[in-house]
Amino acid sequence: MFEFPVLVGDVGGTNARFALVEQKGGAPRVLSHEATAGHPDPSSAIRAALAKGAAEGGGSPPRSAILAIAGRVDGPAVQLTNAHWVIAGERIGRDFGLSSAVVVNDYVPVAAGAAGIAPDDLTPIGPTREEAKGARLVLGPGTGFGAAALVPYADRLAIVSTEAGHTEFGPTDDFEERIWHAVERVEGRVTVEALLSGPGLARLHAAVHHVRSGTPRSKLDPAAITQAGLSAQDPHAAEALALFARLLGRACGDLALTFLATGGVYIGGGIAPRIVRVLQAGGFREAFERKAPFARMMAEIPTSVITVHDPALTGLAALASEGAAFVYHGQVWREAD
């Protein structure tokens, strides 16, 4: 399906990461990371990335492309959920003289990468199982919240992308009830993404401060909250991180039940690798497993944090080289179309 070299890109609300897969089965050669807000459109960012790649390593220009984007792929032109770019495979294909261009949801390649991820690229949270079989779930809190499932289907692997980040949360105890009354809503809703993303951590911290002190406060930068919580400099930050871990465990458990993800749950995104110690403290797994009447099954499902850098680029390379092994939804443009 793809002519090599293949341009691969992981386009999020904050950053766009680009690489070249120069031959079938090859590893992605990283070109650059571009700030989404620093370019008016994706073609501008791609030009910058290709120019940097040419300056550093030369090589042939791409002949095809597959881009993973943080948004719902539901038409020929796709609006990023948390940024201003509109991405169209045809526009990119014509701008760079490609034979084909494919656009998929950003968690499609992360799911593809999970099919062959090495144990060294994972940090277990809770029990491990060497022979865990069945569907796998990949998700990640970052600028937004993405999730996809990798489901065995005959001799292929079906990748099911979702908009699970836009489902709603509800409180489960008295403390959470008070948090829900204090937390900032997004368009009147308390969604998974509203709480389990970078801005979500800021919302949780502000709500915890309000509940514990009785006074409201403005939201802080999520990185500052993480640092203050991990170092115990701010007890409200530490409590917000612990609450974040419990809520993440609950969301992971709900999605694991939805897809019967007995093959494991893999957590990517930018936040989880920074708070592994908090996730391992116990609240995450307790919330993950508290799913009566299936608590015993949940206790056997392994959960891990993906620690490999840019897992989406590795997954995109797998889709480019081993596309026949996967079934997935995407926007496809070919030169002859």
Coordinates of all heavy atoms in Angstrom, one line a residue, residues 201-275:
L201 N -5.5 17.7 35.1 CA -4.8 17.7 36.4 C -4.9 19.1 37.0 O -5.0 19.2 38.3 CB -3.3 17.3 36.1 CG -2.4 17.3 37.4 CD1 -3.0 16.3 38.4 CD2 -1.0 16.9 37.0
A202 N -4.8 20.2 36.2 CA -4.9 21.5 36.7 C -6.3 21.8 37.3 O -6.5 22.4 38.4 CB -4.7 22.6 35.6
R203 N -7.3 21.2 36.7 CA -8.7 21.3 37.2 C -8.8 20.6 38.6 O -9.5 21.1 39.5 CB -9.7 20.8 36.2 CG -9.9 21.6 35.0 CD -11.0 21.1 34.1 NE -11.0 21.9 32.8 CZ -10.5 21.5 31.7 NH1 -9.9 20.3 31.6 NH2 -10.6 22.3 30.6
L204 N -8.3 19.4 38.6 CA -8.3 18.6 39.9 C -7.6 19.3 41.0 O -8.1 19.4 42.1 CB -7.7 17.2 39.7 CG -8.6 16.2 38.9 CD1 -7.8 14.9 38.7 CD2 -9.9 15.9 39.5
H205 N -6.5 19.9 40.7 CA -5.7 20.6 41.8 C -6.5 21.8 42.3 O -6.6 22.0 43.5 CB -4.3 21.0 41.2 CG -3.5 21.8 42.2 ND1 -3.4 23.2 42.1 CD2 -2.8 21.4 43.3 CE1 -2.6 23.6 43.1 NE2 -2.3 22.6 43.9
A206 N -7.1 22.5 41.4 CA -7.9 23.7 41.8 C -9.1 23.3 42.7 O -9.4 23.9 43.7 CB -8.3 24.5 40.6
A207 N -9.7 22.2 42.3 CA -10.9 21.7 43.0 C -10.5 21.1 44.4 O -11.2 21.4 45.4 CB -11.6 20.6 42.2
V208 N -9.3 20.4 44.4 CA -8.9 19.9 45.7 C -8.6 21.1 46.7 O -8.9 21.0 47.9 CB -7.6 19.0 45.6 CG1 -7.0 18.7 46.9 CG2 -8.0 17.7 44.9
H209 N -7.9 22.1 46.2 CA -7.6 23.2 47.0 C -8.8 23.9 47.5 O -8.9 24.3 48.7 CB -6.8 24.3 46.2 CG -6.3 25.5 46.9 ND1 -7.2 26.5 47.1 CD2 -5.2 25.8 47.5 CE1 -6.5 27.5 47.8 NE2 -5.3 27.0 48.1
H210 N -9.8 24.0 46.6 CA -11.1 24.7 47.0 C -11.8 23.8 48.1 O -12.3 24.4 49.1 CB -12.0 24.8 45.8 CG -13.2 25.7 46.0 ND1 -14.1 26.0 45.0 CD2 -13.6 26.3 47.1 CE1 -15.0 26.8 45.4 NE2 -14.8 27.0 46.7
V211 N -11.9 22.5 47.9 CA -12.5 21.7 48.9 C -11.8 21.7 50.2 O -12.5 21.7 51.3 CB -12.7 20.2 48.3 CG1 -13.1 19.2 49.4 CG2 -13.6 20.2 47.2
R212 N -10.5 21.6 50.2 CA -9.7 21.5 51.5 C -9.6 22.8 52.2 O -9.6 22.9 53.4 CB -8.3 20.9 51.2 CG -8.3 19.5 50.7 CD -9.1 18.5 51.6 NE -8.9 17.1 51.3 CZ -9.6 16.1 51.8 NH1 -10.7 16.4 52.6 NH2 -9.3 14.9 51.5
S213 N -9.5 23.9 51.4 CA -9.2 25.2 52.1 C -10.5 26.1 52.2 O -10.5 27.0 52.9 CB -8.2 26.0 51.3 OG -8.7 26.4 50.0
G214 N -11.5 25.8 51.4 CA -12.7 26.6 51.4 C -12.6 27.8 50.5 O -13.6 28.6 50.4
T215 N -11.5 28.0 49.8 CA -11.3 29.2 48.9 C -10.9 28.7 47.5 O -10.1 27.8 47.4 CB -10.3 30.1 49.5 OG1 -9.0 29.4 49.6 CG2 -10.7 30.6 50.9
P216 N -11.5 29.4 46.5 CA -11.1 29.0 45.2 C -9.7 29.5 44.8 O -9.2 30.4 45.5 CB -12.1 29.7 44.3 CG -12.6 30.8 45.1 CD -12.5 30.4 46.6
R217 N -9.1 28.9 43.8 CA -7.8 29.4 43.3 C -7.7 29.2 41.8 O -8.4 28.4 41.3 CB -6.6 28.7 44.0 CG -6.4 27.2 43.7 CD -5.0 26.8 44.0 NE -4.0 27.7 43.2 CZ -2.8 27.9 43.7 NH1 -2.4 27.4 44.8 NH2 -2.0 28.7 43.0
S218 N -6.9 30.0 41.2 CA -6.7 29.8 39.7 C -5.9 28.6 39.4 O -5.2 28.0 40.3 CB -6.0 31.1 39.2 OG -4.7 31.2 39.8
K219 N -6.1 28.1 38.2 CA -5.4 26.8 37.8 C -3.9 27.1 37.6 O -3.5 28.1 37.1 CB -6.0 26.3 36.6 CG -7.4 25.8 36.7 CD -7.9 25.0 35.5 CE -7.9 25.7 34.2 NZ -8.8 26.8 34.2
L220 N -3.1 26.1 38.0 CA -1.6 26.2 37.8 C -1.2 25.3 36.6 O -2.0 24.6 36.1 CB -0.9 25.6 39.1 CG -1.1 26.4 40.4 CD1 -0.3 25.7 41.5 CD2 -0.7 27.9 40.3
D221 N 0.0 25.5 36.2 CA 0.6 24.7 35.1 C 0.6 23.2 35.6 O 1.1 23.0 36.7 CB 2.0 25.2 34.7 CG 2.6 24.4 33.7 OD1 2.1 24.5 32.5 OD2 3.5 23.6 34.0
P222 N 0.2 22.3 34.7 CA 0.2 20.9 35.2 C 1.6 20.4 35.5 O 1.7 19.6 36.4 CB -0.3 20.2 33.9 CG -1.2 21.2 33.2 CD -0.5 22.5 33.5
A223 N 2.6 20.8 34.8 CA 4.0 20.4 35.1 C 4.4 20.9 36.5 O 5.1 20.1 37.3 CB 5.0 20.9 34.1
A224 N 4.0 22.1 36.9 CA 4.3 22.6 38.2 C 3.6 21.8 39.3 O 4.1 21.5 40.4 CB 4.0 24.1 38.3
I225 N 2.3 21.4 39.0 CA 1.6 20.6 39.9 C 2.2 19.3 40.1 O 2.4 18.8 41.3 CB 0.1 20.5 39.4 CG1 -0.6 21.8 39.4 CG2 -0.7 19.5 40.3 CD1 -1.9 21.8 38.6
T226 N 2.6 18.6 39.0 CA 3.3 17.3 39.1 C 4.6 17.4 40.0 O 4.8 16.6 40.9 CB 3.6 16.8 37.7 OG1 2.4 16.7 37.0 CG2 4.3 15.5 37.8
Q227 N 5.4 18.4 39.7 CA 6.6 18.6 40.5 C 6.4 18.8 41.9 O 7.0 18.2 42.8 CB 7.5 19.7 39.9 CG 8.8 19.9 40.6 CD 9.6 21.0 40.0 OE1 9.2 21.6 39.0 NE2 10.8 21.3 40.5
A228 N 5.4 19.7 42.2 CA 5.1 20.0 43.6 C 4.5 18.8 44.3 O 4.7 18.6 45.5 CB 4.2 21.2 43.7
G229 N 3.7 18.0 43.6 CA 3.1 16.9 44.3 C 4.1 15.8 44.5 O 4.1 15.1 45.6
L230 N 5.0 15.5 43.6 CA 5.9 14.4 43.7 C 7.0 14.8 44.8 O 7.5 13.9 45.5 CB 6.7 14.2 42.4 CG 5.8 13.6 41.3 CD1 6.7 13.5 40.0 CD2 5.4 12.2 41.7
S231 N 7.3 16.1 45.0 CA 8.2 16.5 46.0 C 7.6 16.8 47.4 O 8.3 17.1 48.3 CB 9.0 17.7 45.5 OG 8.1 18.8 45.4
A232 N 6.2 16.6 47.4 CA 5.5 16.9 48.7 C 5.6 18.4 49.1 O 5.3 18.7 50.3 CB 5.9 16.0 49.8
Q233 N 5.9 19.3 48.2 CA 6.0 20.7 48.5 C 4.6 21.3 48.7 O 4.4 22.2 49.4 CB 6.7 21.4 47.4 CG 8.2 21.1 47.3 CD 8.8 21.8 46.1 OE1 8.1 22.3 45.2 NE2 10.1 21.8 46.1
D234 N 3.6 20.7 48.0 CA 2.3 21.2 48.1 C 1.3 20.0 48.4 O 1.1 19.1 47.5 CB 1.9 21.8 46.7 CG 0.5 22.3 46.7 OD1 -0.3 22.1 47.6 OD2 0.1 22.9 45.6
P235 N 0.8 19.9 49.6 CA -0.1 18.8 49.9 C -1.3 18.7 49.0 O -1.8 17.6 48.7 CB -0.5 19.0 51.4 CG -0.3 20.5 51.6 CD 0.9 20.8 50.7
H236 N -1.8 19.8 48.5 CA -3.0 19.8 47.6 C -2.6 19.2 46.3 O -3.3 18.4 45.6 CB -3.6 21.2 47.4 CG -4.1 21.7 48.7 ND1 -4.1 23.1 49.0 CD2 -4.7 21.1 49.7 CE1 -4.7 23.3 50.1 NE2 -5.1 22.1 50.6
A237 N -1.3 19.5 45.8 CA -0.8 18.9 44.6 C -0.7 17.4 44.7 O -1.0 16.6 43.8 CB 0.5 19.5 44.2
A238 N -0.1 16.9 45.9 CA 0.0 15.5 46.1 C -1.3 14.8 46.1 O -1.4 13.7 45.6 CB 0.8 15.3 47.4
E239 N -2.3 15.4 46.8 CA -3.6 14.8 46.8 C -4.3 14.8 45.4 O -5.0 13.8 45.1 CB -4.5 15.6 47.8 CG -5.8 14.9 48.1 CD -6.6 15.4 49.2 OE1 -6.2 16.6 49.7 OE2 -7.5 14.8 49.7
A240 N -4.0 15.8 44.6 CA -4.6 15.9 43.3 C -4.0 14.8 42.4 O -4.6 14.1 41.6 CB -4.3 17.2 42.6
L241 N -2.7 14.5 42.6 CA -2.0 13.4 41.8 C -2.6 12.1 42.2 O -2.8 11.2 41.4 CB -0.5 13.4 42.1 CG 0.3 14.5 41.3 CD1 1.8 14.4 41.7 CD2 0.2 14.4 39.8
A242 N -2.8 11.9 43.5 CA -3.4 10.6 44.0 C -4.8 10.4 43.5 O -5.2 9.3 43.1 CB -3.4 10.6 45.5
L243 N -5.6 11.5 43.4 CA -6.9 11.4 42.9 C -6.9 11.1 41.4 O -7.6 10.3 40.9 CB -7.7 12.7 43.2 CG -9.1 12.9 42.6 CD1 -10.0 11.7 43.1 CD2 -9.7 14.2 42.9
F244 N -5.9 11.8 40.7 CA -5.7 11.6 39.3 C -5.5 10.1 39.0 O -6.0 9.5 38.1 CB -4.6 12.4 38.8 CG -4.3 12.3 37.3 CD1 -4.8 13.3 36.4 CD2 -3.5 11.3 36.8 CE1 -4.6 13.2 35.1 CE2 -3.3 11.2 35.4 CZ -3.8 12.2 34.5
A245 N -4.6 9.5 39.8 CA -4.2 8.1 39.7 C -5.5 7.2 39.9 O -5.7 6.2 39.1 CB -3.1 7.7 40.6
R246 N -6.3 7.5 40.9 CA -7.5 6.7 41.1 C -8.5 6.8 39.9 O -9.0 5.8 39.5 CB -8.2 7.1 42.4 CG -7.4 6.7 43.7 CD -8.2 6.8 44.9 NE -8.8 8.1 45.1 CZ -8.2 9.1 45.8 NH1 -7.0 9.0 46.2 NH2 -8.9 10.3 45.9
L247 N -8.7 8.0 39.5 CA -9.6 8.2 38.4 C -9.1 7.5 37.1 O -9.8 7.0 36.3 CB -9.8 9.7 38.1 CG -10.5 10.4 39.3 CD1 -10.6 11.9 38.9 CD2 -11.9 9.9 39.5
L248 N -7.8 7.6 36.9 CA -7.2 6.9 35.7 C -7.4 5.4 35.8 O -7.7 4.8 34.8 CB -5.7 7.3 35.6 CG -5.0 6.6 34.4 CD1 -5.6 7.0 33.1 CD2 -3.5 7.0 34.4
G249 N -7.2 4.9 37.0 CA -7.4 3.4 37.2 C -8.9 3.1 36.9 O -9.1 2.0 36.3
R250 N -9.8 3.9 37.3 CA -11.2 3.6 37.1 C -11.5 3.7 35.6 O -12.2 2.8 35.1 CB -12.1 4.7 37.8 CG -13.6 4.4 37.8 CD -14.4 5.5 38.4 NE -13.9 5.8 39.7 CZ -14.2 6.9 40.4 NH1 -15.0 7.8 39.8 NH2 -13.7 7.1 41.6
A251 N -11.0 4.7 34.9 CA -11.2 4.8 33.4 C -10.6 3.6 32.7 O -11.2 3.0 31.8 CB -10.7 6.1 32.9
C252 N -9.4 3.2 33.1 CA -8.7 2.0 32.5 C -9.6 0.8 32.7 O -9.7 0.0 31.8 CB -7.3 1.9 33.0 SG -6.1 3.1 32.5
G253 N -10.1 0.6 33.9 CA -10.9 -0.6 34.2 C -12.2 -0.6 33.4 O -12.6 -1.7 32.9
D254 N -12.8 0.6 33.3 CA -14.1 0.6 32.5 C -13.8 0.2 31.1 O -14.6 -0.5 30.5 CB -14.7 2.0 32.6 CG -15.3 2.3 34.0 OD1 -15.5 1.4 34.7 OD2 -15.5 3.5 34.2
L255 N -12.7 0.7 30.5 CA -12.4 0.4 29.1 C -12.0 -1.0 28.9 O -12.3 -1.7 27.9 CB -11.4 1.4 28.6 CG -11.9 2.8 28.3 CD1 -10.7 3.8 28.0 CD2 -12.9 2.8 27.2
A256 N -11.2 -1.5 29.9 CA -10.8 -2.9 29.9 C -12.1 -3.9 29.9 O -12.1 -4.9 29.2 CB -9.9 -3.3 31.1
L257 N -13.1 -3.5 30.7 CA -14.3 -4.3 30.7 C -15.0 -4.1 29.3 O -15.6 -5.1 28.8 CB -15.2 -3.8 31.8 CG -15.0 -4.3 33.2 CD1 -15.9 -3.6 34.2 CD2 -15.2 -5.8 33.3
T258 N -15.0 -2.9 28.8 CA -15.7 -2.7 27.5 C -15.2 -3.6 26.4 O -15.9 -4.1 25.6 CB -15.6 -1.2 27.1 OG1 -16.2 -0.4 28.1 CG2 -16.3 -0.9 25.8
F259 N -13.9 -3.7 26.3 CA -13.2 -4.5 25.3 C -12.8 -5.9 25.7 O -12.2 -6.6 24.9 CB -12.0 -3.7 24.7 CG -12.4 -2.5 23.9 CD1 -12.4 -1.2 24.5 CD2 -12.9 -2.6 22.6 CE1 -12.7 -0.1 23.8 CE2 -13.3 -1.5 21.9 CZ -13.2 -0.2 22.5
L260 N -13.1 -6.2 27.0 CA -12.5 -7.5 27.6 C -11.0 -7.6 27.2 O -10.6 -8.6 26.6 CB -13.3 -8.7 27.0 CG -14.7 -8.9 27.6 CD1 -15.4 -10.1 27.0 CD2 -14.7 -9.0 29.1
A261 N -10.3 -6.6 27.7 CA -8.9 -6.5 27.3 C -8.0 -7.3 28.2 O -7.2 -6.8 29.0 CB -8.5 -5.0 27.4
T262 N -8.2 -8.6 28.2 CA -7.4 -9.6 29.0 C -6.0 -9.6 28.6 O -5.2 -10.2 29.3 CB -8.1 -11.0 28.9 OG1 -8.2 -11.4 27.6 CG2 -9.5 -11.0 29.6
G263 N -5.6 -9.1 27.4 CA -4.3 -9.1 27.0 C -3.4 -8.0 27.6 O -2.2 -8.0 27.4
G264 N -4.1 -7.1 28.3 CA -3.3 -6.0 29.0 C -3.8 -4.6 28.6 O -4.4 -4.4 27.6
V265 N -3.4 -3.7 29.5 CA -3.7 -2.3 29.3 C -2.4 -1.6 29.3 O -1.6 -1.7 30.2 CB -4.6 -1.8 30.5 CG1 -4.8 -0.3 30.3 CG2 -6.0 -2.5 30.5
Y266 N -2.2 -0.8 28.3 CA -0.9 -0.1 28.1 C -1.2 1.4 28.1 O -2.0 1.9 27.3 CB -0.3 -0.4 26.8 CG 0.0 -1.9 26.6 CD1 -1.0 -2.8 26.3 CD2 1.3 -2.4 26.9 CE1 -0.7 -4.2 26.2 CE2 1.6 -3.8 26.8 CZ 0.6 -4.7 26.4 OH 0.8 -6.0 26.4
I267 N -0.5 2.1 29.0 CA -0.8 3.6 29.2 C 0.4 4.4 28.6 O 1.5 4.3 29.1 CB -0.9 3.9 30.7 CG1 -2.0 3.0 31.3 CG2 -1.3 5.3 30.9 CD1 -2.0 3.0 32.9
G268 N 0.0 5.2 27.6 CA 1.0 6.1 27.0 C 0.7 7.5 27.4 O 0.3 7.8 28.5
G269 N 0.9 8.4 26.5 CA 0.7 9.8 26.8 C 1.9 10.5 27.5 O 2.8 9.8 27.9
G270 N 1.8 11.8 27.8 CA 2.9 12.5 28.4 C 2.9 12.5 29.9 O 4.0 12.8 30.5
I271 N 1.8 12.2 30.5 CA 1.7 12.4 32.0 C 2.1 11.1 32.7 O 2.9 11.2 33.7 CB 0.3 12.7 32.4 CG1 -0.1 14.1 31.7 CG2 0.1 12.8 33.9 CD1 -1.6 14.5 32.0
A272 N 1.6 9.9 32.3 CA 1.8 8.7 33.1 C 3.3 8.4 33.4 O 3.7 8.0 34.5 CB 1.2 7.5 32.4
P273 N 4.2 8.5 32.4 CA 5.6 8.2 32.7 C 6.2 9.1 33.8 O 7.2 8.7 34.4 CB 6.3 8.4 31.3 CG 5.3 8.2 30.3 CD 4.0 8.8 30.9
R274 N 5.7 10.3 34.0 CA 6.2 11.2 35.0 C 5.7 10.9 36.4 O 6.3 11.3 37.4 CB 5.8 12.6 34.6 CG 6.4 13.1 33.3 CD 6.1 14.6 33.1 NE 6.7 15.1 31.9 CZ 6.1 15.3 30.8 NH1 4.8 14.9 30.7 NH2 6.7 15.7 29.7
I275 N 4.6 10.1 36.5 CA 4.0 9.8 37.8 C 3.9 8.3 38.1 O 3.0 7.9 38.8 CB 2.6 10.5 37.9 CG1 1.6 10.0 36.9 CG2 2.7 12.0 37.8 CD1 0.2 10.4 37.2

